[in-house]
Amino acid sequence: MNKILSIDKRNAVLNTMQQLVREYAQTILDANKIDMDSYDGSDLAMGDRLKVNDAKIDGMIESLRQLAELDDPVGVERFRFTHDNGMQVYNRTASFGTVMIIYESRPDVTIEAGGIAFKSGNKILLKGGKESINSNLAIVALWHKALQANNVSTEWVEYLNYNRTETQAFLENPTQNIDLIVPRGGERLIEFVKQNAKCPVIVSGRGNNFVYVHKHANVTMALDIIVNAKTAKISACNAVDKVIIDNDLPNRTQFIKDLLARLAEHKVELLGDNTFSDYSEVNPIENDAVWYEEFLDYKIVLGSTANTQTAIEMINTYSGGHSATIVTDAHGAAENFMATVDCAAVYHNASTRFTDGFEFGLGGELAIGTDKLHQRGPIGLQHLVTNKWYVHGNGQIR
């Protein structure tokens, strides 16, 4: 297992898996129906993430197709240097070894993240949530079929069917070497992993994304962006939870009325700071803690700001470091905003819903990194690698 598979072998497995997902789509859907029937529906966002339909099957297939076509991320030369003494020094990408992915409710992660980890030459340990157990086991069975069809050990993709206590025990005393853990889920899951892991952890933290409507915004564009970012998929970490509107926006009162009407069409719960007290449909904010929250629901907070600098300070104080966008026709204001806001992805005149591995041309993502190490934003194939130094000499001593 220590020796990396050839790129041809890795691609062959991915192509076989693509065919199997298409062939056994109904098996996956049937397994998912068991999970959906067992789910109590108490969490709207989790239910959305848990459900597998034809569109998600198509997404799984497309993810595998794109991954198979992408270049090998292992062994890529990043740096070369010829020492004064004649030594040749190279830095090249290398696989981590064994990557553990812990995630909640999303069976498509078993395809997407598993495929990214495998293509980048890593053994994968998949630990999905109990609510998606039937879906995940059906997909892992297909991974094993794909591996066996290409004479590759099924140990490359392993599913850990553990409860919370068993997972904690495994993290504290792993029965095998783990080089990297990636938790995908809520803040409680991330804190649980960080507290118990004995190896590096890539944090995929809360969204809590912001839209700032600048005083020179195209208001029609701003309305469309906010409604899309809030309502298109409330279970996504790239959805918007906060909107800040510049006090100097022309026709600000009409813009707010139009925005409230558009959001009401989607039954979005409206909260606002004290500048929205004249709008009966907007509930007052009880305390400032709500500015830190990621809702994953039809809920939004509206606020006001005196200028761009204050908006930037608000975002840097409250956001999860995920995504933020400015809507403006003023290029200078946009450049300042994008350079100064401390988020993994910053936008000018576009929805935050694009913070996604597919949309950024990565062929999917392992997670959305919100820490600054070792990769921010969508973590794609080329990011799930470490590096090694190769030094060639002919007897040099120092």
Side-chain angles (χ1 to χ4, degrees):
M1 284 292 297
N2 290 332
K3 185 179 180 181
I4 190 171
L5 298 170
S6 71
I7 186 59
D8 289 341
K9 184 70 76 173
R10 281 176 274 151
N11 284 339
V13 171
L14 291 171
N15 284 324
T16 302
M17 185 63 177
Q18 183 186 155
Q19 296 164 11
L20 289 171
V21 171
R22 184 178 287 107
E23 181 180 348
Y24 288 91
Q26 193 58 51
T27 301
I28 298 172
L29 293 171
D30 291 344
N32 183 251
K33 186 177 186 304
I34 298 172
D35 291 330
M36 289 298 295
D37 289 345
S38 301
Y39 180 58
D40 63 11
S42 60
D43 185 328
L44 187 64
M46 180 173 282
D48 186 50
R49 293 193 297 265
L50 176 60
K51 184 175 180 58
V52 177
N53 52 23
D54 290 340
K56 284 192 178 179
I57 293 287
D58 290 343
M60 294 176 187
I61 294 169
E62 178 62 14
S63 173
L64 292 162
R65 186 194 68 78
Q66 288 189 21
L67 283 172
E69 290 185 353
L70 289 171
D71 292 339
D72 187 359
V74 181
V76 176
E77 186 178 293
R78 289 179 166 175
F79 176 82
R80 69 163 61 193
F81 169 68
T82 301
H83 196 282
D84 291 343
N85 65 16
M87 287 192 311
Q88 298 296 317
V89 181
Y90 304 89
N91 185 262
R92 298 191 183 111
T93 58
S95 301
F96 277 98
T98 299
V99 176
M100 183 178 182
I101 306 164
I102 306 178
Y103 52 106
E104 298 171 337
S105 69
R106 282 190 55 186
D108 44 332
V109 172
T110 311
I111 292 281
E112 189 175 328
I116 289 170
F118 179 75
K119 170 86 178 210
S120 52
N122 298 290
K123 175 181 176 179
I124 319 106
L125 303 178
L126 297 160
K127 168 62 186 81
K130 62 182 183 299
E131 67 283 344
S132 54
I133 182 62
N134 294 285
S135 307
N136 288 334
L137 290 178
I139 293 169
V140 170
L142 297 183
W143 272 119
H144 288 176
K145 278 180 178 285
L147 291 162
Q148 290 169 334
N150 291 280
N151 299 312
V152 176
S153 170
T154 57
E155 292 181 7
W156 280 94
V157 180
E158 186 176 341
Y159 193 80
L160 304 180
N161 192 6
Y162 295 161
N163 61 29
R164 183 180 177 86
T165 302
E166 291 168 332
T167 301
Q168 182 174 352
F170 181 81
L171 291 174
E172 291 174 343
N173 295 291
T175 55
Q176 56 184 293
N177 182 64
I178 304 175
D179 300 286
L180 180 70
I181 299 178
V182 183
R184 289 184 58 159
E187 291 185 76
R188 285 190 303 171
L189 170 65
I190 291 167
E191 284 306 310
F192 172 79
V193 173
K194 288 172 69 175
Q195 288 172 10
N196 294 284
K198 298 293 179 63
C199 67
V201 175
I202 290 180
V203 172
S204 181
R206 64 191 170 97
N208 193 32
N209 305 311
F210 279 67
V211 172
Y212 168 45
V213 183
H214 184 252
K215 64 183 178 181
H216 296 307
N218 177 317
V219 292
T220 301
M221 180 189 294
L223 290 170
D224 290 342
I225 286 172
I226 294 167
V227 173
N228 171 262
K230 177 69 265 181
T231 68
K233 188 175 183 181
I234 56 104
S235 66
C237 62
N238 55 25
V240 156
D241 287 325
K242 310 297 185 308
V243 174
I244 308 172
I245 303 170
D246 200 295
N247 289 336
D248 293 329
L249 178 72
N251 299 316
R252 185 176 187 274
T253 300
Q254 186 59 51
F255 172 77
I256 291 172
K257 288 180 179 178
D258 292 342
L259 176 60
L260 300 184
R262 290 280 300 273
L263 291 171
E265 292 174 7
H266 296 271
K267 296 181 171 57
V268 176
E269 179 185 350
L270 305 167
L271 302 175
D273 65 17
N274 56 18
T275 65
F276 288 83
S277 58
D278 291 339
Y279 300 91
S280 60
E281 58 268 65
V282 180
N283 296 315
I285 295 171
E286 293 184 1
N287 61 70
D288 283 349
V290 74
W291 284 100
Y292 291 100
E293 291 183 37
E294 178 186 32
F295 298 135
L296 299 173
D297 203 347
Y298 288 99
K299 185 177 181 179
I300 199 166
V301 172
L302 308 173
S304 300
T305 183
N307 51 53
T308 303
Q309 187 55 41
T310 306
I312 291 170
E313 290 170 2
M314 286 182 68
I315 294 168
N316 288 345
T317 298
Y318 297 114
S319 84
H322 191 297
S323 301
T325 187
I326 180 173
V327 185
T328 184
D329 289 335
H331 186 74
E335 287 296 312
N336 176 44
F337 178 93
M338 298 175 82
T340 314
V341 165
D342 191 16
C343 287
V346 286
Y347 291 82
H348 175 205
N349 290 345
S351 170
T352 59
R353 287 281 292 115
F354 288 102
T355 307
D356 173 89
F358 274 125
E359 299 296 337
F360 283 4
L362 302 176
E365 79 218 13
L366 185 81
I368 305 285
T370 51
D371 275 357
K372 296 184 181 180
L373 292 175
H374 98 115
Q375 171 68 23
R376 274 181 119 180
I379 298 170
L381 183 65
Q382 58 270 61
H383 308 127
L384 196 61
V385 288
T386 180
N387 65 90
K388 290 172 67 174
W389 291 93
Y390 293 76
V391 184
H392 299 276
N394 56 2
Q396 288 89 340
I397 60 174
R398 182 177 178 182

